[in-house]
Amino acid sequence: MTNIILAIESSCDETSASIVKDGKVLNNVVATQSIHQEYGGVVPELASRAHQQSIVPVVDKAMKEVGISPNQLDAIAFTRGPGLLGALLVGTSFAKSMALALGIPLIDVNHMQAHILAHFIDDPKPNFPFICLTVSGGHTQLVLVKGHTKMEVIGQTKDDAVGEAFDKAAKMLGLSYPGGPLIDKYAKLGDATKFTFPNTSMPGLDYSFSGIKTAILYFLRDELKKDPDFITKNLHDLSASIQSALIKMLLNKLKRAAREHNIKEIAIAGGVSANTGLRDALEQMKVENGWNVYIPDFQYCTDNAGMIAMAAYFKYQAKEFVGLEVGPLARMPIN
Ligand code: KG4
Ligand code: ZN
């Protein structure tokens, strides 16, 4: 039987809505909040207010774009967590009200599971079990994916997320927020071997990015003492060298995880999977290691409701619904 689900994402600084019909994601409307640029990072209170302003027009646009009216919907899905509590609350409350008004089921979606399930929106789709390196502004995880909702974290960062490391390094270089995409842009014009930064990973499959962040800070401080124009003169080479050091750390552990679990189905997901250096390095490793590699389309790397819609479809099939008493969870484990 046909099913149509409206999905809403509001975990951080993107308000997004998407419609999925019989497992096919029809669209992905995203409103990015530019207000945070002035502050060099996401300001939670401003994020909540911006979600409140955008949610009605974004949902309305998603429905109208594909000619779906509210009474045609079979379920409403929303990001329950992890994320900023106030931001999540906007999407959760909106979804609950709409489900109540329409008398249809409500589906809660885990944001990190959804990043991984974005791989099921388009072909080719990974085969189970696969390993997904999930890299975003809030998370860095190696996930063993055994099924659409059966996931196990086998390695993760003990401090900062890699997206945060990109953004903080960018801030030190005087770039605006979010700096990850800018480092990516400038790195294309630079020499990645010009400067070296330490590999500060943890033992086993875990990561740590606080050490490399401090190393970059001290290196720049010392160089700026010698030459106040050091950053301006070396922006491209610095971007390329920082990006290369972060990617090496990510991929060393990914390679180790693949070897230890004897898996050749490899995926990446999350905002940092939009990084062209990471995507290119992975393509190279695919050849060297005989992997099948799955890299999401750019629109499904950073936060979007298309991935929430995809995850919601699998939960709808399994009839995994929640009641109206459900609330957001800022820290929601992947399973
Ligand atoms: O998944 P996402 O949109 O939001 C979270 O759930 O955190 O990830 C956002 C992060 C930011 O840190 C941003 O700088 C980073 O992804 N990012 C990138 C690129 N595009 C987004 N980092 C490096 N290179 C990129 N091209
Ligand atoms: Zn995300």
Side-chain angles (χ1 to χ4, degrees):
M1 208 176 68
T2 301
N3 61 71
I4 304 174
I5 307 166
L6 163 69
I8 295 163
E9 155 67 28
S10 75
S11 68
C12 192
D13 57 348
E14 256 96 23
T15 317
S16 181
S18 166
I19 307 286
V20 56
K21 183 178 180 185
D22 298 332
K24 191 169 168 23
V25 174
L26 300 183
N27 64 354
N28 181 36
V29 176
V30 183
T32 302
Q33 305 175 358
S34 55
I35 178 113
H36 308 291
Q37 274 175 4
E38 293 170 39
Y39 300 89
V42 177
V43 183
E45 181 54 33
L46 294 180
S48 311
R49 282 192 224 165
H51 282 304
Q52 278 173 342
Q53 280 166 0
S54 308
I55 197 150
V56 172
V58 165
V59 167
D60 193 48
K61 186 171 178 209
M63 307 267 291
K64 287 198 176 126
E65 243 180 36
V66 293
I68 300 282
S69 58
N71 59 13
Q72 288 176 279
L73 294 173
D74 296 292
I76 311 280
F78 66 99
T79 303
R80 188 174 180 193
L84 301 169
L85 198 60
L88 290 165
L89 193 60
V90 177
T92 306
S93 312
F94 188 91
K96 278 161 65 170
S97 321
M98 212 165 156
L100 176 68
L102 296 169
I104 55 175
L106 192 60
I107 301 171
D108 67 329
V109 172
N110 181 302
H111 182 85
M112 298 314 291
Q113 277 197 2
H115 266 302
I116 295 172
L117 294 171
H119 283 287
F120 293 85
I121 296 176
D122 293 321
D123 284 328
K125 300 176 173 66
N127 299 298
F128 300 119
F130 65 93
I131 290 176
C132 188
L133 170 67
T134 312
V135 278
S136 71
H139 291 80
T140 305
Q141 294 179 329
L142 282 163
V143 184
L144 178 60
V145 188
K146 300 173 196 164
H148 292 122
T149 51
K150 275 178 72 183
M151 305 186 187
E152 185 193 335
V153 176
I154 53 173
Q156 62 189 318
T157 180
K158 293 294 175 195
D159 41 58
D160 295 349
V162 67
E164 218 176 325
F166 265 103
D167 294 339
K168 285 183 179 157
K171 201 171 174 181
M172 293 177 216
L173 297 178
L175 306 176
S176 63
Y177 179 85
L182 294 171
I183 290 206
D184 189 355
K185 184 176 148 192
Y186 296 128
K188 287 188 186 123
L189 307 165
D191 173 6
T193 61
K194 181 89 176 275
F195 306 107
T196 45
F197 296 103
N199 178 334
T200 57
S201 275
M202 305 286 283
L205 293 176
D206 288 334
Y207 293 103
S208 164
F209 293 100
S210 62
I212 185 167
K213 199 180 67 187
T214 314
I216 297 168
L217 181 72
Y218 288 168
F219 172 76
L220 291 176
R221 188 195 58 186
D222 293 347
E223 293 300 326
L224 284 169
K225 268 187 211 156
K226 290 183 252 167
D227 177 4
D229 293 329
F230 178 74
I231 292 179
T232 343
K233 285 179 188 160
N234 294 284
L235 185 60
H236 296 161
D237 294 339
L238 281 166
S239 298
S241 304
I242 291 168
Q243 175 171 297
S244 160
L246 293 172
I247 292 174
K248 262 187 209 139
M249 281 165 73
L250 289 176
L251 295 182
N252 276 347
K253 298 284 177 174
L254 177 60
K255 196 170 169 180
R256 181 172 174 160
R259 197 177 56 231
E260 284 181 7
H261 289 266
N262 196 21
I263 287 177
K264 288 188 183 293
E265 293 279 303
I266 306 292
I268 53 169
V272 181
S273 64
N275 184 272
T276 44
L278 177 61
R279 294 164 88 98
D280 292 348
L282 207 58
E283 288 292 348
Q284 210 176 322
M285 282 180 84
K286 159 182 156 177
V287 182
E288 287 164 15
N289 296 280
W291 290 348
N292 291 322
V293 164
Y294 303 89
I295 300 176
D297 192 71
F298 279 109
Q299 67 166 320
Y300 300 124
C301 287
T302 44
D303 291 346
N304 67 89
M307 68 184 196
I308 307 301
M310 196 66 246
Y313 170 75
F314 295 121
K315 288 193 112 178
Y316 186 89
Q317 297 296 97
K319 294 197 166 37
E320 281 183 39
F321 304 128
V322 284
L324 290 168
E325 71 290 349
V326 75
L329 293 172
R331 293 175 181 276
M332 187 180 185
I334 205 159
N335 52 10

